[in-house]
Amino acid sequence: MTSFPGLGPSSGFLQSTAWRASFALVVVFVMLAMTGWTAIRGTKDDANPLATAKAAWRHATIHGRPLPDPDGAPATLRAFFATLDRAERQQLAARYPLVVGNMGGAPVELRYSANRKAIDAARAVEKRRMRDHRLTPVGRQTAGQLMHRLESLMSDGRQILAFDPAGDGRAAEVFGDLTTADRVSVVVPGVDTNLSTFERTAKATAAPVGMAQSLYDAEHSARPQARTAVIAWADYTTPAGLGVEAATGQLAEAGAVRLRSLVDSLPSDDSVSLFCHSYGSVVCGVAARSLPGNVTDIAVAGSPGMRAGSLSGLGTHARVWAMRDADDWIQDVPYLEVGGLGHGADPVDPSFGARILSAAGADGHAGYFAPGTRSLRNFAMVGVGALTSVECASSDSHCGADLA
């Protein structure tokens, strides 16, 4: 055994183990990159329309009064909008659609209306880009695809709670009536989620919109009279591919701040459950300690880790549930954290301490929200609070304890 000056044999062993773990991580992510898993983040303009709009808002007034900080506390912003009549609210939404559409504390219906205007403006930009011969043919094709995605977001009945066209874009959509819901479920997706991948036609439940729609339908089937809402929350910057960004927690930390802001901005103190897929579970793990008391459940699927060594390390009062399909490739990622690489222990390992749910019927890494699966049914039962009806994994004899 190799030893080092001033260190005993056990210290040398620990250093050797740490070195091997670090080397294993490096090998895994180099292999991922070489086999095409690692994506290159897009090179779209770095302009930030939302930041520009917020700067204009901060210099504006209404009836001679300054407008509140657009990033202020939701309670402060709710109080501000309560002082305005309908015409005044609509005036602000028309002048500053990006600001109002992304403002925690603004009335939900006003945000939907504002985001529709902001999406229409972004659609017009992409329509011009698809005919701009200064762009490459691929650039024009990409603009056309994004334009059609934005047109879809403007379809009748869609409730877009957040929209930011900067970079690869972010969005959030609501299913159900958020203002009257007693229970709110939030779907937090993983890598490569942006405006272009927010929804899919084929394999719809592999994308955030399809995940949330499927969960909402399953919750309604489980308890038709329950007042529920589900949010497809792709309103954070996700890693592009399975490269270094996905192996570290920097984007998860920023996402956790935004997730906490979302929960704080909900229109009432509803019971909130988080459903976190893949890298989204890293975001939920980082956020867990700071989430308010109305977050009662955190359920993770296909998790690479939650930036914790155990349930107690999450520092949360919420119940934590975990599941993984037997064919999910994520199980081959090293469950450790060394030098900032990796996300900690495996949440479905019994020693972690989470309640392990059955994922029977799910197909691989992207199949947890597919209709007819036990994974989706279990999520729905958690979402509506029917906890005694969940189906635990056969490996977890303690999953159903203290749920009555």
Side-chain angles (χ1 to χ4, degrees):
M1 179 185 300
T2 302
S3 60
F4 297 88
L7 296 176
S10 62
S11 297
F13 174 77
L14 290 174
Q15 290 204 8
S16 175
T17 301
W19 182 88
R20 287 198 300 271
S22 298
F23 181 75
L25 276 173
V26 171
V27 169
V28 167
F29 289 109
V30 167
M31 289 177 63
L32 288 171
M34 291 178 66
T35 55
W37 280 103
T38 302
I40 304 292
R41 190 171 292 280
T43 56
K44 193 178 176 182
D45 294 342
D46 290 330
N48 191 329
L50 179 55
T52 301
K54 284 183 177 180
W57 170 282
R58 288 187 172 98
H59 288 91
T61 61
I62 185 166
H63 303 313
R65 294 179 296 152
L67 300 177
D69 181 354
D71 297 319
T76 301
L77 294 168
R78 285 191 199 100
F80 165 73
F81 280 100
T83 67
L84 306 179
D85 61 28
R86 184 178 184 280
E88 290 167 334
R89 294 177 183 179
Q90 291 294 339
Q91 179 186 2
L92 288 177
R95 289 172 59 191
Y96 308 101
L98 271 176
V99 179
V100 175
N102 290 280
M103 186 179 288
V108 168
E109 294 293 339
L110 188 66
R111 290 181 67 173
Y112 298 159
S113 174
N115 280 321
R116 187 175 182 84
K117 295 180 176 68
I119 293 167
D120 192 33
R123 181 202 59 79
V125 170
E126 296 306 322
K127 188 173 183 178
R128 290 194 297 269
R129 284 170 53 83
M130 65 184 289
R131 298 189 180 99
D132 188 346
H133 289 279
R134 293 173 297 178
L135 301 177
T136 65
V138 172
R140 294 195 297 273
Q141 181 183 30
T142 300
Q145 292 169 342
L146 182 54
M147 186 203 71
H148 290 301
R149 175 66 66 231
L150 295 171
E151 286 182 337
S152 176
L153 292 180
M154 293 179 63
S155 300
D156 290 343
R158 299 195 68 167
Q159 302 177 134
I160 307 303
L161 185 67
F163 171 74
D164 183 354
D168 292 328
R170 300 192 294 236
E173 182 171 7
V174 175
F175 296 88
D177 190 338
L178 191 59
T179 60
T180 63
D182 294 322
R183 307 189 68 90
V184 177
S185 298
V186 182
V187 175
V188 184
V191 300
D192 285 329
T193 301
N194 51 50
L195 282 178
S196 296
T197 60
F198 187 50
E199 60 181 321
R200 296 176 55 170
T201 302
K203 296 183 178 180
T205 56
V209 169
M211 291 177 179
Q213 177 73 72
S214 184
L215 179 58
Y216 178 71
D217 291 344
E219 289 183 355
H220 183 70
S221 295
R223 282 195 174 171
Q225 304 307 317
R227 294 187 298 180
T228 62
V230 179
I231 302 174
W233 189 74
D235 194 25
Y236 80 103
T237 300
T238 68
L242 298 182
V244 173
E245 284 183 334
T248 58
Q250 183 175 359
L251 292 180
E253 290 170 5
V257 173
R258 297 183 67 84
L259 181 58
R260 170 62 191 263
S261 296
L262 168 75
V263 175
D264 286 342
S265 71
L266 293 176
S268 64
D269 293 329
D270 308 317
S271 175
V272 177
S273 300
L274 306 180
F275 298 90
C276 320
H277 177 243
S278 194
Y279 189 84
S281 68
V282 186
V283 177
C284 291
V286 175
R289 185 178 299 275
S290 64
L291 291 170
N294 61 328
V295 178
T296 58
D297 296 272
I298 301 172
V300 303
S303 173
M306 300 179 72
R307 307 295 288 182
S310 66
L311 177 62
S312 61
L314 293 175
T316 181
H317 59 275
R319 289 176 291 265
V320 177
W321 311 80
M323 67 171 70
R324 185 174 64 220
D325 178 59
D327 296 326
D328 191 334
W329 58 261
I330 201 75
Q331 64 191 307
D332 297 324
V333 171
Y335 283 95
L336 45 83
E337 189 277 322
V338 179
L341 286 174
H343 301 302
D346 183 355
V348 301
D349 189 312
S351 65
F352 185 85
R355 301 170 187 262
I356 307 173
L357 294 169
S358 170
D363 183 13
H365 188 61
Y368 295 99
F369 291 84
T373 59
R374 292 181 192 172
S375 53
L376 176 64
R377 180 184 180 278
N378 277 329
F379 279 165
M381 293 304 169
V382 172
V384 299
L387 302 183
T388 57
S389 297
V390 300
E391 183 174 345
C392 299
S394 58
S395 60
D396 188 354
S397 59
H398 302 290
C399 165
D402 304 319
L403 295 178

